[in-house]
Amino acid sequence: MSTTTLSSTLSSSASLRLNRNASYHSTRVVDSITSVHSFISRWDPQTSVSSGFLRATTHLHSYLLHVARSASRSAHHELIRTNFILQSAMSRLDQELKNHLMSITDAHSTPEAISTVSSIVQTMISTGYGEECLNTYQSIRRSAVTSQLTEFGFDLSTYLSKNLAKLKWDKLEIMIKSWIDAAPVAFHSIFSNERQLSDRIFVSSQESVRDAIFESIVYDTASKLLSFPELVAIHVRRSPEKLFRLLDVYDALSDILPDIKSSFKSFPASEVQQKAISSLKKLSDAVQGTLSDLEKAIRKNRVKPRVAVPGGALLPLTRYMMNYLISLSDYDHSLNAIESNMTPDPTKYNSSSFESSDNLQDSPASIRIARLLLVLVQKLESKAESYRDNSLSYLFLTNNVNYMINKVETSRLNNILGEEWVVAHMSKVRRYVEGHLRSGWASVYAALPVKEKEAVDRIQRFETIFQKVLKEREGWVVIDAAMREEIRLLVEAMVVPPYSCWYRAYQGNATVRFSPHDVAKQIAMLYEGLNSGSSSGSGSAKFLRRFGRYLRRKGTDSSVTYQIENEEAQSGKLSLQYQTRYDTGHDGELSFRYQIKRGNSVQYI
């Protein structure tokens, strides 16, 4: 509604309250003119306008309407004189209105100041100066709204450029932060207070008129505020690092959407609602696009390094992605809203890759994050193939996937993905450990003598292979202390007991370089050296408890033991099996132990 149309509506409603048929005594007219002249001649900007002057002005306007209906020549001169006096009065009232409006900050200003402004407004409207009144009111209140926004560092004149893509990210990020600070205050507080102020000042006007006045003040500002998120979503170049700012803007806009819907109901203010909804949709598209681009970048190997890291250590991509997803988990509520309209289809991938997809927490956010983790594991398995040594490949996978599990367990990702995801990936780690042991240490075990006549040749071969294996593994890394201890125990269980059996049986028939204690010490020294400098555990007991926590309880063995049965058995196929026995002897905590079978011999750890 334009100012002219709005003022006409105000004036017509006010004129209904005038008594046009009243008779005007000359004494009353003279008194009104005298009062108006007195106020104008003695006008002081620091003095509040008197109620007597407002009544005199209203009477003068009524007299003007009365004179205007007369056709006499004298009435014409009286009309000109009265109109001139009334215009002078309105000019002073308009200045009074400006002065008083400048002293009002919001609807919580002093009741006296608001009451005075309301009286001036009603007088100007009722005397036919509604357009001038609205122009003054709108001009001052629009400036007040803009000024309040500027206090939060958000300048509408500079923030609505379509060249956001050309800005450096640090500058654009500052703009985004200021918008996030300003927008909630604008819609929660500034606009709400402005509506209350309009309602109190234009209290005598119809509700539709009050709505129109409020909207005429804040509509442009609200529209510009809501244009910024749309420009950010469209023009900001997509990258994983910028995703979180997009989500921050999405969160802020989602939070103020109820206020937008309640404050901007009628047309054209309802267009503000549509702009907010449109901005949310574009932000949603930008978030989904960024996550899809990240997934594609990992799949197409556009992330560094493009070769596996030395020693099977933690891939920088793994650390980056886990820290990234932990940060992303803080936005799970927004992700659920964004992804709900575009839930990924797990059937796109092979069944083995979503081993626990049926048990994932049933939310779009959990599916999106699980899919990114799946892509990461697939990339790790692909990079593991670049190692020439299969044992190192398995160690690389053990390090990286175990790191992923630790990160999930110690963050909000655990709540999002669910326990079954952890169990499934712990199973992967157990398979990787088994592969590491089979491919890395089976040759050492196989070199042990099994017949007396082979003792001399086989023991030399064992010593050569053992030394070679130790040397090859000098640069290898096991980043988790608990995992490092666990692998050491498994290697010792594979090598030391059968070596001890042979040593006791054949040590007098050949020159033996290493005692069983030496072999165990060499293995211990090796795994003490496989330390990346960072650890996330405190020994094998903690590692075992972590794994045992996810296994069904059966049996009540009282402790974890190192056990060898039928030590003399020297033949039979070596197999590493993952069977379970449990420890309930320490405050009810369960333990997981590996079982190694060699013929009829069984060793537990």
Side-chain angles (χ1 to χ4, degrees):
M1 188 181 295
S2 66
T3 302
T4 302
T5 304
L6 190 55
S7 63
S8 299
T9 304
L10 286 167
S11 298
S12 60
S13 61
S15 64
L16 295 176
R17 296 190 291 271
L18 293 174
N19 185 0
R20 298 192 178 192
N21 296 320
S23 58
Y24 293 91
H25 300 288
S26 59
T27 303
R28 186 178 182 185
V29 173
V30 170
D31 290 343
S32 295
I33 292 174
T34 302
S35 176
V36 169
H37 271 301
S38 175
F39 177 83
I40 294 173
S41 61
R42 299 178 182 179
W43 181 68
D44 182 358
Q46 305 301 322
T47 304
S48 296
V49 62
S50 66
S51 57
F53 172 75
L54 296 178
R55 286 194 301 271
T57 303
T58 302
H59 293 156
L60 203 59
H61 177 253
S62 299
Y63 176 67
L64 181 68
L65 296 177
H66 172 74
V67 172
R69 287 195 293 272
S70 175
S72 64
R73 180 174 297 180
S74 60
H76 177 69
H77 294 292
E78 185 67 11
L79 181 63
I80 293 174
R81 184 176 74 95
T82 304
N83 187 55
F84 175 78
I85 297 172
L86 187 60
Q87 285 181 348
S88 298
M90 288 300 106
S91 177
R92 293 293 183 267
L93 273 185
D94 187 58
Q95 189 60 49
E96 284 285 324
L97 179 61
K98 291 177 182 178
N99 293 341
H100 284 81
L101 281 175
M102 293 295 288
S103 67
I104 293 176
T105 54
D106 54 36
H108 303 294
S109 297
T110 61
E112 181 182 357
I114 293 177
S115 176
T116 299
V117 170
S118 180
S119 298
I120 295 174
V121 163
Q122 296 308 316
T123 299
M124 293 185 71
I125 291 173
S126 65
T127 55
Y129 285 81
E131 184 172 352
E132 291 81 357
C133 171
L134 285 175
N135 284 335
T136 298
Y137 183 84
Q138 290 170 340
S139 174
I140 292 176
R141 293 315 306 168
R142 284 171 182 164
S143 296
V145 168
T146 301
S147 176
Q148 291 177 74
L149 283 176
T150 304
E151 291 178 4
F152 291 91
F154 193 85
D155 187 350
L156 291 172
S157 62
T158 59
Y159 277 47
L160 297 180
S161 170
K162 294 184 179 180
N163 296 322
L164 294 182
K166 297 181 181 180
L167 288 176
K168 291 184 177 180
W169 174 243
D170 56 347
K171 293 184 178 180
L172 180 58
E173 192 171 24
I174 292 174
M175 295 172 66
I176 291 174
K177 287 179 180 179
S178 66
W179 184 91
I180 291 172
D181 290 338
V185 175
F187 286 95
H188 284 318
S189 177
I190 296 176
F191 294 162
S192 176
N193 284 330
E194 200 60 39
R195 173 175 283 280
Q196 295 178 43
L197 183 61
S198 296
D199 288 345
R200 292 182 65 181
I201 289 177
F202 295 89
V203 63
S204 300
S205 302
Q206 299 175 1
E207 182 179 0
S208 60
V209 174
R210 296 198 303 271
D211 289 343
I213 293 171
F214 160 73
E215 291 162 2
S216 69
I217 294 169
V218 303
Y219 176 80
D220 287 343
T221 303
S223 295
K224 291 176 181 178
L225 266 175
L226 295 175
S227 294
F228 181 73
E230 188 172 358
L231 290 173
V232 169
I234 294 174
H235 295 288
V236 172
R237 185 177 179 181
R238 293 176 183 174
S239 72
E241 293 77 15
K242 297 174 183 177
L243 174 67
F244 300 110
R245 283 303 172 200
L246 290 176
L247 287 167
D248 287 336
V249 176
Y250 183 93
D251 281 348
L253 187 54
S254 298
D255 289 342
I256 62 178
L257 189 59
D259 293 286
I260 294 173
K261 290 181 176 179
S262 63
S263 298
F264 299 89
K265 300 176 182 178
S266 59
F267 183 84
S270 58
E271 294 178 358
V272 175
Q273 289 188 36
Q274 297 305 315
K275 183 175 285 292
I277 294 171
S278 174
S279 294
L280 280 175
K281 178 63 170 62
K282 287 181 171 60
L283 286 168
S284 177
D285 292 343
V287 169
Q288 289 176 333
T290 301
L291 290 174
S292 296
D293 289 347
L294 176 60
E295 180 181 325
K296 292 175 184 177
I298 299 172
R299 287 184 178 278
K300 294 181 179 180
N301 203 23
R302 292 203 299 264
V303 289
K304 296 180 180 180
R306 298 191 179 184
V307 294
V309 291
L314 186 67
L315 191 69
L317 173 64
T318 306
R319 179 181 286 108
Y320 171 82
M321 281 300 301
M322 293 312 300
N323 291 333
Y324 186 87
L325 292 177
I326 287 173
S327 297
L328 188 62
S329 68
D330 292 333
Y331 298 90
D332 59 325
H333 179 75
S334 297
L335 277 179
N336 281 327
I338 291 171
E339 294 286 333
S340 60
N341 295 324
M342 196 178 107
T343 304
D345 182 7
T347 60
K348 292 173 59 177
Y349 309 97
N350 58 69
S351 58
S352 63
S353 59
F354 260 89
E355 292 171 297
S356 61
S357 61
D358 292 338
N359 295 318
L360 284 174
Q361 301 297 315
D362 188 18
S363 72
S366 67
I367 295 175
R368 168 66 83 172
I369 292 175
R371 191 167 85 173
L372 287 170
L373 288 170
L374 164 64
V375 173
L376 177 58
V377 172
Q378 291 175 337
K379 179 53 60 180
L380 292 173
E381 291 175 344
S382 173
K383 286 188 177 294
E385 296 175 358
S386 64
Y387 291 108
R388 294 181 179 180
D389 191 319
N390 288 337
S391 181
L392 184 55
S393 296
Y394 285 118
L395 187 63
F396 167 76
L397 290 171
T398 299
N399 279 326
N400 282 268
V401 177
N402 190 58
Y403 178 85
M404 292 170 61
I405 293 171
N406 287 334
K407 284 293 189 178
V408 168
E409 283 192 302
T410 57
S411 69
R412 295 187 72 250
L413 289 173
N414 199 29
N415 296 329
I416 295 173
L417 296 170
E419 197 169 86
E420 286 75 12
W421 184 94
V422 176
V423 172
H425 286 76
M426 281 185 170
S427 296
K428 281 181 178 289
V429 172
R430 291 197 292 270
R431 291 196 295 272
Y432 297 148
V433 170
E434 178 181 356
H436 170 70
L437 294 174
R438 284 184 185 279
S439 57
W441 290 96
S443 61
V444 177
Y445 171 84
L448 288 170
V450 294
K451 297 179 181 179
E452 183 177 353
K453 63 180 182 180
E454 298 176 337
V456 176
D457 294 337
R458 292 290 291 271
I459 196 59
Q460 291 177 349
R461 182 184 175 195
F462 169 82
E463 291 173 352
T464 301
I465 293 176
F466 184 62
Q467 289 287 83
K468 180 183 177 183
V469 167
L470 291 177
K471 185 173 181 60
E472 288 175 346
R473 283 153 177 70
E474 286 181 354
W476 293 12
V477 174
V478 183
I479 63 172
D480 183 87
M483 179 66 72
R484 188 165 55 250
E485 177 73 0
E486 178 67 11
I487 294 176
R488 181 188 67 79
L489 290 172
L490 288 171
V491 172
E492 287 184 7
M494 178 185 289
V495 177
V496 176
Y499 184 79
S500 298
C501 294
W502 176 88
Y503 184 82
R504 286 194 294 270
Y506 302 113
Q507 61 178 323
N509 300 332
T511 301
V512 182
R513 183 178 178 183
F514 301 116
S515 68
H517 175 75
D518 293 332
V519 173
K521 184 178 180 180
Q522 291 280 357
I523 293 173
M525 290 175 63
L526 170 68
Y527 281 96
E528 285 176 2
L530 300 190
N531 187 348
S532 69
S534 64
S535 64
S536 57
S538 58
S540 61
K542 180 177 179 180
F543 177 83
L544 294 172
R545 285 195 296 272
R546 284 179 63 238
F547 276 79
R549 197 156 54 86
Y550 295 97
L551 300 171
R552 293 182 301 172
R553 179 170 177 171
K554 60 176 183 179
T556 56
D557 291 343
S558 61
S559 63
V560 177
T561 60
Y562 179 88
Q563 177 180 345
I564 302 177
E565 299 176 359
N566 192 15
E567 292 181 341
E568 289 74 16
Q570 296 292 319
S571 62
K573 185 179 179 181
L574 176 69
S575 65
L576 182 62
Q577 299 180 359
Y578 293 89
Q579 299 180 0
T580 58
R581 299 179 70 183
Y582 298 94
D583 177 5
T584 57
H586 301 284
D587 299 325
E589 291 181 313
L590 299 179
S591 298
F592 175 81
R593 64 181 70 175
Y594 294 89
Q595 182 186 74
I596 301 176
K597 285 186 177 181
R598 184 168 62 81
N600 295 321
S601 178
V602 181
Q603 301 98 41
Y604 291 109
I605 298 177

